[in-house]
Amino acid sequence: MTSSPSPADLYCVMGNPVAHSRSPAIHARFAELTGQRLRYERRLIELDGFVQGVRDFTAEGGLGCNITVPFKFEAPAMATVCSDRVRLAGAANVLSFQPDGSIHADNTDGLGLVADITRNADVALQGARVLLVGAGGAAAGVLGPLLEAGAAHVTVANRTVAKAEALVASHSALAALQKAELLALSPQAVEADFDIIINATASSLAGAGVPVPASVLRPGSLAYDMMYGPAAQGFMDWASAHGAVARDGLGMLVEQAAEAFALWRGVRPPSAQVLEEMRQSAS
Ligand code: ATR
């Protein structure tokens, strides 16, 4: 008697909108390259339906999901166990459903950014002076990992300064532990230049241009937009015009996925190869 093959392990990305998500393609390629047998789907979740969406997915036997806009802040409340990174960021982008029914939440966005800067772009964070522009969810997800990666100084600059101050306050203990200097400023008040400038604002989506003066750049600075594709182009053109090295967030996307894949499967995928393939197919 022949038995039918067991279904492949099930994962997904949940968001709204989610049609644009490149996570299914990235995870499918990781699975192919590591010989892991899994299915990775896209799930469009009603805006008020996140809790039900997670329940439905686990009832289907789902083993893990990535969480994207706008549910990253709701995700920690679904978890039995939150990593330190989730507690610091107040947001999660990875849920893992354990055999005992518990749910583990993690946030791999900052790890992805750090991996892309240090490994793929080959720029040191250890001892670096970093300007983080923005203080919303995207910035909150990466500040802890930037400090843990050894940045010597981080200025958080945001249009609404009170939000930058709140982010700095919630990270002050970590900064002290890391012996890093951490400041909150309004974008107009930033006077120094920096080794690394990270755009974590939505200003390009709002068509509002670059939210900091060009004096933050110097030749050879790394200017990094956490977005990719057309949304990152304005910032990257501005940075290149001022002699900085411009980089978009495609590598961060691939590396945060690689961290999630490693958490779920216990296998590290060849993320640099997959990033290179994605850049080739886009050009
Ligand atoms: P995300 O999760 O993408 O970070 P968010 O939490 O809404 O989204 O945060 C958006 C960020 O982009 C904030 O830092 C926001 O600045 P405010 O806190 O002052 O709102 C920033 N942002 C959005 N539009 C902007 C603009 N036109 N100029 C400058 N900053 C802008």
Side-chain angles (χ1 to χ4, degrees):
M1 205 173 79
T2 56
S3 59
S4 53
S6 58
D9 292 347
L10 179 62
Y11 298 87
C12 77
V13 54
M14 293 187 186
N16 187 338
V18 78
H20 66 284
S21 174
R22 300 179 82 167
S23 294
I26 294 170
H27 282 278
R29 187 68 179 131
F30 286 168
E32 197 173 17
L33 290 170
T34 56
Q36 296 279 306
R37 195 163 162 269
L38 57 84
R39 277 179 300 152
Y40 188 106
E41 299 178 350
R42 219 181 238 115
R43 295 281 167 114
L44 177 66
I45 303 294
E46 293 296 322
L47 290 176
D48 60 355
F50 179 65
V51 172
Q52 193 57 45
V54 171
R55 287 201 186 119
D56 292 347
F57 187 64
T58 52
E60 283 174 54
L63 296 183
C65 62
N66 284 125
I67 312 294
T68 186
V69 174
F71 302 118
K72 288 185 185 184
F73 296 96
E74 280 183 63
M78 290 295 291
T80 329
V81 182
C82 289
S83 72
D84 289 345
R85 285 188 289 271
V86 169
R87 280 195 288 272
L88 208 49
N93 72 327
V94 183
L95 294 178
S96 306
F97 307 113
Q98 308 295 324
D100 65 1
S102 64
I103 301 178
H104 291 194
D106 210 329
N107 192 322
T108 62
D109 284 335
L111 299 180
L113 174 68
V114 166
D116 192 46
I117 290 175
T118 57
R119 291 209 299 265
N120 301 333
D122 202 18
V123 170
L125 268 163
Q126 186 70 45
R129 288 175 47 79
V130 178
L131 175 64
L132 180 61
V133 188
V142 302
L143 180 53
L146 288 170
L147 292 166
E148 282 170 344
H153 171 105
V154 182
T155 291
V156 181
N158 194 49
R159 179 178 64 176
T160 309
V161 188
K163 278 169 68 180
E165 287 167 349
L167 201 53
V168 163
S170 63
H171 287 72
S172 61
L174 177 61
L177 191 71
Q178 295 292 129
K179 299 189 169 44
E181 193 181 10
L182 183 57
L183 281 181
L185 288 176
S186 95
Q188 296 74 30
V190 182
E191 284 180 341
D193 56 26
F194 293 83
D195 301 314
I196 302 173
I197 298 92
I198 300 167
N199 185 17
T201 72
S203 68
S204 48
L205 288 183
V210 177
V212 281
S215 54
V216 303
L217 301 171
R218 63 176 140 69
S221 299
L222 174 67
Y224 195 106
D225 197 314
M226 284 172 55
M227 298 199 182
Y228 59 88
Q233 203 56 52
F235 178 84
M236 290 177 51
D237 291 346
W238 167 83
S240 302
H242 291 92
V245 177
R247 188 170 179 89
D248 71 5
L250 189 63
M252 174 179 173
L253 176 76
V254 173
E255 296 295 349
Q256 65 75 31
E259 297 289 343
F261 191 92
L263 277 173
W264 290 330
R265 308 302 296 184
V267 178
R268 186 153 286 279
S271 46
Q273 177 187 339
V274 174
L275 174 58
E276 184 54 34
E277 290 173 1
M278 289 177 76
R279 291 217 188 274
Q280 293 290 337
S281 69
S283 61

